[in-house]
């Protein structure tokens, strides 16, 4: 299998476990992995995060579940931050966090991560997924983003916070925000050399699958 190509701030870098290559995950000096997945709604952060957590044998933490009570009731920021702190400290082996919530305190995961994964496919690739997922949630054929937080037609079609409008608007905001982060801590190109730990996947999804396979190969090689 060929090494997947990861876009690093407009350049390209090869990942892999060979000499002179960037490993698919950096981890810390003790071989622990703390991973934060960022990107817009619908970019497969949860799917990727759950697969990654299963490979590493660490907890998967969805920030949506820490931020909302049933019925889309927002928890106070201090409660959210306390819950996040407890979740991050729950397992010494590490964690995989899915979500943004930068303004509310989610930046803690970003700052403490050994690896930051930015999922940034084109809007026309993932927006149809958002539409399909939303309709499946209408009919309870897909789990809600947080327990007890079910989608409704009123929310989706007649609200300023409609997931459809939010997804389109947030696409550009997330690109700007994470583009700035890449310029600072992007692997291979970030200006903060000591803290480079962020990589971007911007394709149709095949690059992410290939990268997960590289992670699995790396973990197997360490057990052999």
């Amino acid at each position: 299998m060929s090494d997947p190509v990861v876009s690093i701030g407009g350049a390209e870098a090869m990942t892999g476990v060979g000499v002179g290559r960037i490993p698919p995950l950096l981890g810390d000096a003790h071989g622990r992995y703390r991973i934060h997945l960022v990107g817009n709604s619908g970019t497969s952060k949860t799917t990727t995060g759950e697969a990654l957590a299963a490979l590493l044998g660490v907890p998967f933490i969805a920030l949506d579940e820490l931020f909302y009570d049933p019925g889309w009731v927002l928890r106070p920021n201090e409660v959210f931050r306390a819950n996040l702190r407890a979740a991050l400290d729950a397992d010494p082996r590490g964690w995989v966090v899915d979500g943004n919530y930068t303004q509310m305190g989610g930046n803690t995961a970003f700052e403490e991560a050994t690896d930051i994964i930015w999922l940034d496919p084109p809007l026309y690739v993932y927006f149809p997924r958002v539409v399909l997922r939303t309709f499946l949630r209408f009919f309870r054929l897909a789990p809600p983003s947080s327990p007890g937080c079910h989608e409704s037609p009123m929310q989706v079609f007649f609200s300023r916070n409609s997931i459809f409008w939010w997804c389109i608007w947030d696409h550009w905001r997330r690109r700007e925000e994470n583009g700035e982060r890449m310029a600072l801590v992007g692997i291979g190109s970030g200006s903060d050399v000591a803290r480079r730990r962020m990589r971007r996947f911007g394709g149709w999804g095949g690059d992410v699958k290939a990268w997960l396979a590289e992670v699995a190969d790396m973990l197997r090689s360490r057990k052999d």
Side-chain angles (χ1 to χ4, degrees):
M1 179 179 64
S2 60
D3 293 315
V5 176
V6 181
S7 176
I8 306 291
E12 292 180 345
M14 300 303 293
T15 67
V17 295
V19 176
R21 295 175 178 174
I22 300 170
L25 286 176
L26 301 177
D28 64 13
H30 304 286
R32 295 179 295 230
Y33 299 96
R34 300 182 299 277
I35 301 160
H36 188 194
L37 288 96
V38 298
N40 200 9
S41 298
T43 54
S44 294
K45 297 190 303 297
T46 299
T47 301
T48 303
E50 288 176 341
L52 194 55
L55 282 173
L56 296 170
V58 299
F60 173 70
I61 304 167
L63 295 189
D64 281 347
E65 296 184 10
L66 300 182
F67 194 67
Y68 290 103
D69 279 326
W72 298 103
V73 176
L74 277 63
R75 290 173 177 152
N77 286 351
E78 59 272 19
V79 174
F80 169 70
R81 288 192 292 268
N83 289 344
L84 175 58
R85 181 75 269 159
L88 297 180
D89 293 341
D91 194 318
R93 296 172 300 170
W95 37 259
V96 176
V97 168
D98 148 33
N100 302 292
Y101 293 97
T102 306
Q103 305 289 328
M104 295 79 173
N107 208 43
T108 302
F110 186 93
E111 292 299 328
E112 296 184 12
T114 61
D115 296 84
I116 301 157
I117 310 301
W118 174 20
L119 301 183
D120 184 39
L123 182 62
Y124 61 80
V125 170
Y126 71 88
F127 186 73
R129 297 181 203 152
V130 173
V131 175
L132 175 61
R133 182 183 69 185
T134 300
F135 279 97
L136 290 175
R137 286 175 174 173
F138 280 165
F139 299 103
R140 309 292 174 92
L141 298 175
S145 60
S146 183
C149 296
H150 297 286
E151 308 281 0
S152 71
M154 182 63 69
Q155 272 184 316
V156 172
F157 296 110
F158 304 104
S159 169
R160 288 187 306 170
N161 296 321
S162 163
I163 185 61
F164 297 154
W165 292 115
W166 174 266
C167 182
I168 294 170
W169 176 77
D170 211 38
H171 175 80
W172 311 109
R173 183 168 71 102
R174 292 298 169 198
R175 280 204 160 172
E176 181 178 4
E177 176 186 64
N178 288 312
E180 292 173 355
R181 289 167 158 179
M182 282 289 295
L184 183 65
V185 297
I187 294 174
S189 64
S191 59
D192 190 342
V193 177
R195 299 175 66 237
R196 289 176 179 172
R197 64 198 192 283
M198 183 174 182
R199 65 191 85 207
R200 169 185 173 269
F201 293 96
W204 287 69
D207 52 351
V208 176
K209 291 180 181 178
W211 170 71
L212 287 171
E214 287 288 326
V215 172
D217 288 344
M218 179 190 72
L219 296 173
R220 279 194 296 268
S221 69
R222 291 185 177 180
K223 290 179 179 179
D224 294 342

